[in-house]
Amino acid sequence: MGSNSSRIGDLPKNEYLKKLSGTESISENDPFWNQLLSFSFPAPTSSTELKLLEEATISVCRSLVENNPRTGNLGALIKVFLSRTKELKLSAECQNHIFIWQTHNALFIICCLLKVFICQMSEEELQLHFTYEEKSGNYSSDSEDLLEELLCCLMQLITDIPLLDITYEISVEAISTMVVFLSCQLFHKEVLRQSISHKYLMRGPCLPYTSKLVKTLLYNFIRQEKPPPPGAHVFPQQSDGGGLLYGLASGVARLWTVFTLGGVGSKAAASPELSSPLANQSLLLLLVLANLTDASDAPNPYRQAIMSFKNTQDSSPFPSSIPHAFQINFNSLYTALCEQQTSDQATLLLYTLLHQNSNIRTYMLARTDMENLVLPILEILYHVEERNSHHVYMALIILLILTEDDGFNRSIHEVILKNITWYSERVLTEISLGSLLILVVIRTIQYNMTRTRDKYLHTNCLAALANMSAQFRSLHQYAAQRIISLFSLLSKKHNKVLEQATQSLRGSLSSNDVPLPDYAQDLNVIEEVIRMMLEIINSCLTNSLHHNPNLVYALLYKRDLFEQFRTHPSFQDIMQNIDLVITFFSSRLLQAGAELSVERVLEIIKQGIVALPKDRLKLLADRQVDRVLACQAFVHAASGFSQFHGLSVRNFQN
């Protein structure tokens, strides 16, 4: 590197890098640093370029790892960076491009080196490299702790330096460097509960910046600031890639979603082109901070800040018991969340806020434009084959949280949508948001039955339908048909497995040597899902029969499907109301004569709904369908989330 632009192929032979990683100690006041930092290096913008850079610099990095215990050059480089950051704010105000450029380059090199150090050594060994004292020639626990000072400096840089064209890149790299510090988890199979970087972030001089940092990261996500145009700064633009460490930053944050949602081995998420590297990196760091484990003597302050922040329009005082509280514009945050749901990290942020911040949840459920939030979530589920498993699970859990609210379940049937272009199975010129939600969830169930066959995905989908079922209103005829069609598919599957079990049992009578497949377990799973479907239909008929003539029509059209379950011991109780409705309306249709048009049948059904005494339908008071199913659905997903989000499954059992 140096005053001339550097190419990747020249890096192993670069004299300045050789001196930095060599055996000679370099004072932090040496003119060498100005020469080293005066480079215009095109930072990698793809994984291929990043790999080439790592391969080209591996010999330099290994040499520094070996020699730094004697030279302390890493510490000298960090001290040079720290001294420059003290004048960074003034330099930004004075438009001192050269000073900011060199400071950015120093942080760029630190990022690259830190990545190698963290990959190759433990946190304890890394801390020794930071605490080397050149004068005494040894390590000292009493020496100035550069690691803590660097972390605190990065937090100050992110929160205090104004975001201008000339400071955009250094802000991105500062956020990426913090993610690199927290990337130790990538190299441990177990959850890190005692981490040095975690300790520094949760106490000491870093702690007062907690709420300010979280607020800044949220606003970076909200504003979606694009990189400055070419020519706005003296060093080459690093757009699209978000800086050298974007790949590692994405990996760290994505690791948490894999841990918490069981995404190992699932389809990798497509990486959309980044319109705002700063917003994306801020989101990744925010998620990592929110998921840090609690300290032994104190909760995670960043999670506390995320749990407690309020709307700027809320003038009520914060309780004294709530630390790290702040205010933010909820309308702007809501808009950004609605627009950014194509990425799984944005969906994870939405889940985190809905689950942990009651102020946000209350605000969102009170919105009159919930379709702006729900439609992107439904699109995630509709394109399930293009999404990774943890993105789909997050979308479903968000629906579960929303559908726990009766007001939401009522309001979505009042929102009428027109021309849903991404729904290709059928032209939907006009449909309620509630009916569309039902269609997409049922499609997800059917996709799962034929492809992934994940029992817990079934349970999540059915739990959302169960939560909504008592509030079904004016179901679209296609939505009503799909509910019964799903039951038909489950019924056929039940009969097929039952037949296979019978044939297997007969075969076992003639041969005692052949092991029998476990058809009983398969049958139990299918019957459990069938019962869930019957409970959903029963809940709708019991609570909102008069609002759903199309569902009654679909029931009558396929009434033969339910005949086999009337006497089945597992379904007798739940079949009583359904059988009553089928019998009552079939009788009225029979009295009306044959050759009835669709319109005439619906008219008879509407008249019958008025005539049917409500007290004849029995409420299953001892079976709270939505709570039971929602609890079952959360058991699988929440068991992983609890390690990072503090989520307790008991919250959904009470």
Side-chain angles (χ1 to χ4, degrees), residues 44 69 103 186 245 297 434 451:
T103 308
L186 287 171
L245 276 303
D297 55 348
R451 304 287 183 86

Side-chain angles (χ1 to χ4, degrees), residues 101-150:
W101 164 48
Q102 291 184 334
T103 308
H104 167 271
N105 287 346
L107 185 56
F108 181 88
I109 296 174
I110 291 170
C111 257
C112 297
L113 296 176
L114 276 178
K115 179 181 177 183
V116 176
F117 274 65
I118 288 174
C119 288
Q120 295 190 2
M121 62 186 67
S122 66
E123 276 196 306
E124 290 74 16
E125 292 173 311
L126 176 64
Q127 190 176 33
L128 290 177
H129 280 271
F130 274 80
T131 56
Y132 175 81
E133 286 188 323
E134 182 182 351
K135 293 180 180 179
S136 60
N138 58 21
Y139 301 102
S140 171
S141 58
D142 297 328
S143 65
E144 183 182 15
D145 197 332
L146 280 180
L147 178 57
E148 184 176 28
E149 189 178 353
L150 179 58

Side-chain angles (χ1 to χ4, degrees), residues 419-477:
N419 300 319
I420 308 300
T421 55
W422 48 264
Y423 192 93
S424 59
E425 274 80 358
R426 177 167 172 160
V427 177
L428 300 175
T429 55
E430 187 172 288
I431 189 172
S432 70
L433 179 59
S435 290
L436 181 63
L437 194 157
I438 292 168
L439 287 175
V440 173
V441 170
I442 288 177
R443 183 182 183 274
T444 305
I445 294 173
Q446 291 179 322
Y447 174 85
N448 184 54
M449 288 177 67
T450 57
R451 304 287 183 86
T452 55
R453 299 183 181 181
D454 182 348
K455 174 187 174 183
Y456 295 101
L457 191 64
H458 273 355
T459 310
N460 277 276
C461 291
L462 290 168
L465 293 177
N467 286 345
M468 297 169 56
S469 58
Q471 305 292 338
F472 283 171
R473 295 289 189 275
S474 304
L475 290 183
H476 191 280
Q477 59 181 9

Side-chain angles (χ1 to χ4, degrees), residues 327-479:
Q327 291 180 295
I328 203 167
N329 189 307
F330 277 15
N331 182 62
S332 300
L333 179 58
Y334 178 81
T335 301
L337 287 168
C338 293
E339 293 174 349
Q340 300 299 322
Q341 288 307 305
T342 53
S343 71
D344 52 357
Q345 53 263 40
T347 306
L348 180 56
L349 176 63
L350 174 58
Y351 159 76
T352 302
L353 295 177
L354 275 174
H355 173 247
Q356 297 191 0
N357 191 313
S358 59
N359 299 320
I360 279 284
R361 183 168 60 253
T362 301
Y363 174 84
M364 289 187 176
L365 289 170
R367 295 281 302 203
T368 57
D369 60 347
M370 277 298 292
E371 67 272 17
N372 292 337
L373 182 67
V374 176
L375 283 174
I377 299 300
L378 295 184
E379 277 200 71
I380 294 170
L381 298 178
Y382 185 79
H383 299 292
V384 59
E385 64 277 0
E386 301 172 11
R387 305 290 181 179
N388 56 56
S389 62
H390 45 277
H391 199 179
V392 173
Y393 263 112
M394 282 187 288
L396 281 173
I397 294 173
I398 288 169
L399 287 184
L400 279 172
I401 294 173
L402 294 175
T403 56
E404 284 188 335
D405 183 79
D406 287 340
F408 171 85
N409 294 333
R410 285 190 298 269
S411 65
I412 56 176
H413 292 288
E414 299 169 0
V415 177
I416 304 302
L417 308 170
K418 295 185 178 181
N419 300 319
I420 308 300
T421 55
W422 48 264
Y423 192 93
S424 59
E425 274 80 358
R426 177 167 172 160
V427 177
L428 300 175
T429 55
E430 187 172 288
I431 189 172
S432 70
L433 179 59
S435 290
L436 181 63
L437 194 157
I438 292 168
L439 287 175
V440 173
V441 170
I442 288 177
R443 183 182 183 274
T444 305
I445 294 173
Q446 291 179 322
Y447 174 85
N448 184 54
M449 288 177 67
T450 57
R451 304 287 183 86
T452 55
R453 299 183 181 181
D454 182 348
K455 174 187 174 183
Y456 295 101
L457 191 64
H458 273 355
T459 310
N460 277 276
C461 291
L462 290 168
L465 293 177
N467 286 345
M468 297 169 56
S469 58
Q471 305 292 338
F472 283 171
R473 295 289 189 275
S474 304
L475 290 183
H476 191 280
Q477 59 181 9
Y478 185 51

Side-chain angles (χ1 to χ4, degrees), residues 12-229:
K13 303 175 184 177
N14 187 281
E15 59 178 298
Y16 297 102
L17 290 179
K18 282 187 173 181
K19 184 174 181 179
L20 174 67
S21 61
T23 57
E24 178 186 349
S25 294
I26 307 171
S27 167
E28 58 195 83
N29 299 316
D30 197 302
F32 162 81
W33 298 111
N34 285 331
Q35 297 170 329
L36 173 71
L37 302 178
S38 298
F39 66 87
S40 297
F41 186 81
T45 58
S46 68
S47 57
T48 302
E49 293 178 1
L50 181 59
K51 186 176 181 180
L52 289 174
L53 175 64
E54 291 175 348
E55 291 174 350
T57 57
I58 189 64
S59 59
V60 173
C61 293
R62 286 176 177 172
S63 178
L64 183 63
V65 169
E66 180 180 351
N67 293 322
N68 187 66
R70 291 182 294 276
T71 65
N73 286 343
L74 175 62
L77 172 61
I78 291 172
K79 289 179 180 179
V80 169
F81 169 74
L82 292 174
S83 66
R84 286 175 170 270
T85 56
K86 296 175 182 177
E87 303 176 36
L88 197 58
K89 191 172 183 179
L90 180 61
S91 298
E93 295 173 355
C94 299
Q95 296 286 303
N96 189 338
H97 290 66
I98 302 298
F99 187 87
I100 295 174
W101 164 48
Q102 291 184 334
T103 308
H104 167 271
N105 287 346
L107 185 56
F108 181 88
I109 296 174
I110 291 170
C111 257
C112 297
L113 296 176
L114 276 178
K115 179 181 177 183
V116 176
F117 274 65
I118 288 174
C119 288
Q120 295 190 2
M121 62 186 67
S122 66
E123 276 196 306
E124 290 74 16
E125 292 173 311
L126 176 64
Q127 190 176 33
L128 290 177
H129 280 271
F130 274 80
T131 56
Y132 175 81
E133 286 188 323
E134 182 182 351
K135 293 180 180 179
S136 60
N138 58 21
Y139 301 102
S140 171
S141 58
D142 297 328
S143 65
E144 183 182 15
D145 197 332
L146 280 180
L147 178 57
E148 184 176 28
E149 189 178 353
L150 179 58
L151 275 172
C152 193
C153 176
L154 291 173
M155 296 177 77
Q156 290 176 331
L157 194 159
I158 295 168
T159 57
D160 295 346
I161 300 302
L163 187 61
L164 308 170
D165 284 352
I166 59 174
T167 61
Y168 188 95
E169 296 297 340
I170 195 170
S171 297
V172 173
E173 291 303 327
I175 294 170
S176 295
T177 305
M178 284 201 67
V179 178
V180 170
F181 266 120
L182 297 168
S183 66
C184 296
Q185 179 67 76
L186 287 171
F187 309 100
H188 293 79
K189 294 181 179 180
E190 301 80 15
V191 177
L192 283 180
R193 302 189 182 279
Q194 298 292 332
S195 168
I196 295 173
S197 55
H198 294 188
K199 179 186 70 175
Y200 289 143
L201 287 170
M202 293 188 186
R203 54 174 61 90
C206 291
L207 188 61
Y209 288 93
T210 297
S211 59
K212 196 172 182 180
L213 177 62
V214 172
K215 184 176 182 178
T216 300
L217 296 176
L218 277 172
Y219 268 124
N220 286 346
F221 170 72
I222 289 170
R223 290 166 180 154
Q224 295 289 315
E225 293 281 357
K226 295 182 179 180

Side-chain angles (χ1 to χ4, degrees), residues 506-514 516:
R506 289 173 181 170
S508 67
L509 297 177
S510 58
S511 175
N512 295 326
D513 300 329
V514 181
L516 293 176

